[in-house]
Amino acid sequence: MAAARGLVVTGLNALRVGTCLQGARRGCVPARCYSSAAGSHEDKLKSRQAEMMARGLPKQKPIPGVKHVVVVASGKGGVGKSTTAVNLALGLAASDHVKAVGLLDADVYGPSIPRMMNLKGNPEVSDRNLMIPLVNYGIQCMSMGFLVEETAPVVWRGLMVMSAIERLLRQVDWGELDYLVIDMPPGTGDVQLSISQNIPVSGAVIVSTPQDIALLDARRGAEMFHKVNVPVLGLVQNMSVFRCPKCDHQTHIFGEDGAKQLAATMGLDILGDIPLHINIRETCDLGKPVVVSNPESSEAKAYVAIALEIIKRISK
């Protein structure tokens, strides 16, 4: 029996040795080295996945004649994004260093630019079969609102919206522009992703009120642009304070400095504050934005200051 046990033990040891030798021939490594090998394999896998995803993404193609694209975005609606986009475009055009500015309304479902810029009618078509932008206050404008009735709802699925955005980007005779300001729809959906991936964007401006609910969505918007490698120029704190037109008393209706706190936590800057003032609302409703209708007002100067800050940051 003792001899039999010895033979069994010897056989098991030989089997272990043989297994180890076979493992060595196949490239097996000791257990203490396995974690580093697994880590290396995971790194290679992630690199391979990133490479495959990059192949699937559309290649960015600049818009002919357009030097810089600035997108004005927000995580949610109702924070004054379109009003900000319009006045920033006019603020950019007011700079001595800027010759031509365009304004694209990418909010297909709720276009606001035609009313705010006091423009109506269908765009004409050039000899190259390109739509010619409508112009007011020296700004070239294009919007889905020029192609449908003002009160007509746009009831489209995602693919149709993407096709419309592609036409508004590529089939418009923008000419030579220093800046094209794009008024993005609210949220972080298909339109934002499509524009960010199809054209080179010089920077994004995030608009938010100081309210906590709006700031949550503004953070999502900023994070989205980080993920698609679009530089975030900074945040605009809109409706930062209400100034009574009679006594000039200030009240922080939506909270105080909420956007500044968000910017600090995300490592971003505040481009400027815009007050909640009836003059801003009335002038946009009349199609005479405050930057052109009342350029000496403090509200207009706030927009112009933000526009100059945008120029400064993009030039760097």
Side-chain angles (χ1 to χ4, degrees), residues 13-33:
N13 288 337
L15 181 62
R16 293 190 185 102
V17 172
T19 302
C20 290
L21 289 173
Q22 290 177 5
R25 293 191 190 101
R26 293 172 184 169
C28 295
V29 295
R32 61 178 175 272
C33 298

Side-chain angles (χ1 to χ4, degrees), residues 168-301:
L168 292 175
L169 287 173
R170 303 292 183 190
Q171 298 183 22
V172 175
D173 187 3
W174 290 107
E176 299 294 326
L177 296 180
D178 293 315
Y179 291 91
L180 175 62
V181 178
I182 300 182
D183 179 22
M184 302 282 260
T188 56
D190 290 341
V191 173
Q192 289 85 347
L193 191 61
S194 178
I195 290 176
S196 301
Q197 292 179 341
N198 279 281
I199 62 173
V201 179
S202 299
V205 175
I206 309 295
V207 181
S208 179
T209 64
Q211 187 178 3
D212 289 344
I213 297 299
L215 292 170
L216 286 173
D217 292 321
R219 185 184 191 109
R220 295 187 184 100
E223 293 288 0
M224 183 211 71
F225 286 116
H226 283 312
K227 287 186 177 181
V228 295
N229 298 318
V230 171
V232 178
L233 301 176
L235 276 69
V236 172
Q237 185 168 246
N238 198 30
M239 309 181 198
S240 59
V241 62
F242 171 69
R243 296 175 182 172
C244 178
K246 294 184 178 180
C247 66
D248 207 32
H249 176 73
Q250 296 187 1
T251 304
H252 297 278
I253 295 176
F254 296 105
E256 187 174 1
D257 293 337
K260 291 182 179 179
Q261 295 170 10
L262 174 63
T265 60
M266 297 190 68
L268 299 173
D269 296 321
I270 290 291
L271 297 174
D273 286 10
I274 303 297
L276 178 62
H277 199 285
I278 191 172
N279 194 28
I280 297 175
R281 194 272 303 168
E282 287 182 341
T283 54
C284 270
D285 283 351
L286 293 172
K288 301 176 181 179
V290 68
V291 170
V292 291
S293 62
N294 196 359
E296 296 302 319
S297 65
S298 59
E299 301 84 51
K301 290 180 180 179

